[in-house]
Amino acid sequence: MNQPQIAILDDYQQVAFQFADWTPVREKAQVTIFSDHISEEAALVKRLQPFQVLCVMRNARHLRSICRNCPT
């Protein structure tokens, strides 16, 4: 069985794993942290296509529009 793919967006300070214990999540899912910012929506949608779960560290950045354009 494939593990769910989780994307953590906008972790500019690379602190997501420091502020919470992600161990139980990482045992059941693949977690990828993105510390860079992609402002172009099409490029962001392309990056996020493999992911089933999005965690947003900062603002929602047009999250509704992005989710509408992602296949999963």
Side-chain angles (χ1 to χ4, degrees):
M1 181 169 141
N2 290 336
Q3 289 186 319
Q5 300 291 308
I6 300 173
I8 300 176
L9 304 179
D10 300 331
D11 186 11
Y12 307 126
Q13 297 175 315
Q14 301 176 349
V15 296
F17 287 154
Q18 295 173 16
F19 286 130
D21 181 6
W22 286 80
T23 304
V25 175
R26 293 173 82 184
E27 289 174 354
K28 297 180 180 184
Q30 177 66 40
V31 180
T32 303
I33 295 178
F34 293 104
S35 57
D36 61 336
H37 175 77
I38 296 180
S39 57
E40 183 186 313
E41 186 173 309
L44 184 58
V45 168
K46 184 176 180 177
R47 172 186 270 186
L48 298 176
Q49 285 183 351
F51 297 93
Q52 292 79 41
V53 178
L54 303 179
C55 295
V56 182
M57 294 289 289
R58 303 290 183 254
N59 59 47
R61 296 191 309 174
H62 312 298
L63 197 55
R64 186 174 301 175
S65 176
I66 292 166
C67 289
R68 250 188 256 123
N69 291 303
C70 286
T72 56

